[in-house]
Amino acid sequence: FTSFLLLPGASEEVAPPIQQCFMVPKKEINVVSDMAKWKRSQAYADYMGFILTLNEGVRGKKLTCEYKVSEAIEKLVALLDTLDRWIDETPPVDQPSRFGNKAFRTWYAKLDQEAEKLVSTVIPKHLADAAPEVAVYLKESVGNSTRIDYGTGHEAAFAAFLCCLCKIGVLRVDDQMAIVFKVFNRYLEVMRKLQKTYRMEPAGSQGVWGLDDFQFLPFIWGSSQLIDHPSLEPRHFVDEKVVNENHKDFMFLECILFITEMKTGPFAEHSNQLWNISAVPSWSKVNQGLIRMYKAECLEKFPVIQHFKFGSLLPIQPVTS
């Protein structure tokens, strides 16, 4: 498949001319029957193309390997560092209920207020008009401030945020590895800190029947990293020693480490789906299975996709090409 990430873009020096009317993205999926529109949309095709392009880009590569880090990547990491700092500045408050600490709403209000300004630090001046559109996906990517929950729909909004930055040419083909290993990985660290600090509820979690309470994409990209690994097989990720020794190299194992830190009891009980996956013979089979599962369990589920927003960069209009 080819995605717009793989299309030969404009050269580095010349800013690509953008004949585009940006718009603030809005909700388009209001009833279950609207899901057909989503599956036929340009947004779905571009989003899935983006996920699969990155899946290929990190195949067989370690988090610790060498890759190009562009100025745009550095600026995105700085943006995420800012969000992280705000968590430190907004400690949880004393409250009767254990879950969903209300201090998250204070933290979120700050992001809500500053999001456009933060996005403006990442995009060049000639694309300033895109900031309000792109900022919506950033705001949607950190959880819900009313329910104080976080789930795969929020994670999808962050991937959509990065996808939009590719579509306007801020991120380029040779940023692929850095998008996953530097930016998305930093995003995961900040989300884990949010989840821990404010004890956020999992959004739309299927409990023991789901893959994970909070994330999905790092399992996809993380399994791609492990394809053709000389010694690590899927059966090894349930081995604590293996996880402790290798988690700094592989996103998948980072996820397993976080789950075992957060949950008690036998792994097979609290993470049954992952336990089943550990029986799959190869990482490429795991990777293909997870992509199918992601489409079925996240992208084709109304409770997840009803919150997704559509604008000029990720349009609800049917696929043209």
Side-chain angles (χ1 to χ4, degrees):
F1 63 95
T2 53
S3 127
F4 48 88
L5 246 190
L6 300 176
L7 297 174
S11 68
E12 290 285 342
E13 303 77 55
V14 187
I18 300 265
Q19 275 85 37
Q20 178 120 28
C21 290
F22 295 106
M23 61 179 275
V24 174
K26 58 184 203 297
K27 207 165 127 54
E28 299 276 1
I29 310 294
N30 299 306
V31 289
V32 175
S33 57
D34 287 338
M35 289 296 285
K37 272 199 301 193
W38 154 242
K39 280 188 254 179
R40 283 197 302 268
S41 71
Q42 190 66 49
Y44 183 91
D46 287 348
Y47 180 85
M48 222 36 237
F50 181 66
I51 299 302
L52 294 173
T53 299
L54 295 175
N55 190 55
E56 283 306 303
V58 300
R59 189 184 173 125
K61 309 276 200 312
K62 291 182 176 182
L63 286 169
T64 48
C65 74
E66 299 231 333
Y67 49 84
K68 173 183 171 274
V69 178
S70 64
E71 196 185 341
I73 294 286
E74 297 282 15
K75 287 174 175 173
L76 280 165
V77 172
L79 181 157
L80 291 163
D81 290 344
T82 301
L83 300 189
D84 190 325
R85 193 181 70 246
W86 290 348
I87 302 174
D88 297 334
E89 293 166 5
T90 319
V93 294
D94 279 336
Q95 61 177 45
S97 102
R98 230 174 98 228
F99 284 96
N101 195 283
K102 290 182 178 62
F104 175 71
R105 291 179 183 149
T106 311
W107 180 90
Y108 183 85
K110 185 152 188 154
L111 173 61
D112 194 33
Q113 205 184 333
E114 302 284 330
E116 270 183 50
K117 207 189 295 177
L118 286 172
V119 169
S120 298
T121 63
V122 179
I123 54 185
K125 293 274 187 289
H126 71 279
L127 290 171
D129 291 353
E133 177 164 348
V134 178
V136 167
Y137 296 104
L138 179 64
K139 288 192 282 193
E140 298 278 316
S141 74
V142 296
N144 181 285
S145 65
T146 310
R147 297 187 302 271
I148 315 182
D149 66 7
Y150 175 93
T152 51
H154 301 110
E155 178 190 69
F158 191 74
F161 166 69
L162 297 172
C163 182
C164 288
L165 292 174
C166 287
K167 290 195 88 174
I168 60 174
V170 171
L171 295 171
R172 296 166 184 275
V173 181
D174 51 1
D175 289 318
Q176 281 182 57
M177 283 169 68
I179 289 171
V180 179
F181 292 170
K182 225 174 161 58
V183 180
F184 195 82
N185 212 32
R186 184 71 184 105
Y187 164 75
L188 285 176
E189 288 169 4
V190 178
M191 292 309 104
R192 286 171 183 147
K193 188 166 167 178
L194 277 181
Q195 290 151 20
K196 270 188 189 160
T197 306
Y198 303 123
R199 302 195 67 110
M200 297 176 79
E201 298 271 15
S205 163
Q206 298 158 305
V208 64
W209 304 113
L211 182 71
D212 177 75
D213 280 343
F214 297 111
Q215 313 296 157
F216 204 115
L217 292 173
F219 292 96
I220 295 179
W221 296 330
S223 58
S224 181
Q225 283 184 280
L226 285 154
I227 290 173
D228 297 332
H229 191 283
S231 59
L232 289 180
E233 294 170 30
R235 64 191 171 92
H236 292 124
F237 76 74
V238 291
D239 179 335
E240 205 178 327
K241 184 172 178 290
V242 171
V243 172
N244 287 332
E245 285 171 5
N246 297 283
H247 70 92
K248 287 190 167 62
D249 283 325
F250 300 104
M251 212 170 226
F252 196 101
L253 303 181
E254 278 286 6
C255 291
I256 301 296
L257 186 69
F258 184 67
I259 292 169
T260 52
E261 280 173 9
M262 300 297 279
K263 298 195 168 186
T264 50
F267 192 90
E269 284 176 25
H270 63 60
S271 301
N272 188 261
Q273 280 278 31
L274 282 166
W275 180 261
N276 293 340
I277 287 169
S278 71
V280 175
S282 73
W283 284 110
S284 63
K285 285 265 187 296
V286 169
N287 185 246
Q288 289 158 12
L290 285 172
I291 290 166
R292 281 197 302 275
M293 187 179 171
Y294 184 59
K295 289 179 181 171
E297 299 301 321
C298 300
L299 301 185
E300 292 174 12
K301 287 280 188 279
F302 175 72
V304 177
I305 294 303
Q306 63 172 333
H307 304 293
F308 198 88
K309 295 200 164 94
F310 301 85
S312 75
L313 296 167
L314 290 169
I316 189 70
Q317 282 72 30
V319 173
T320 45
S321 50

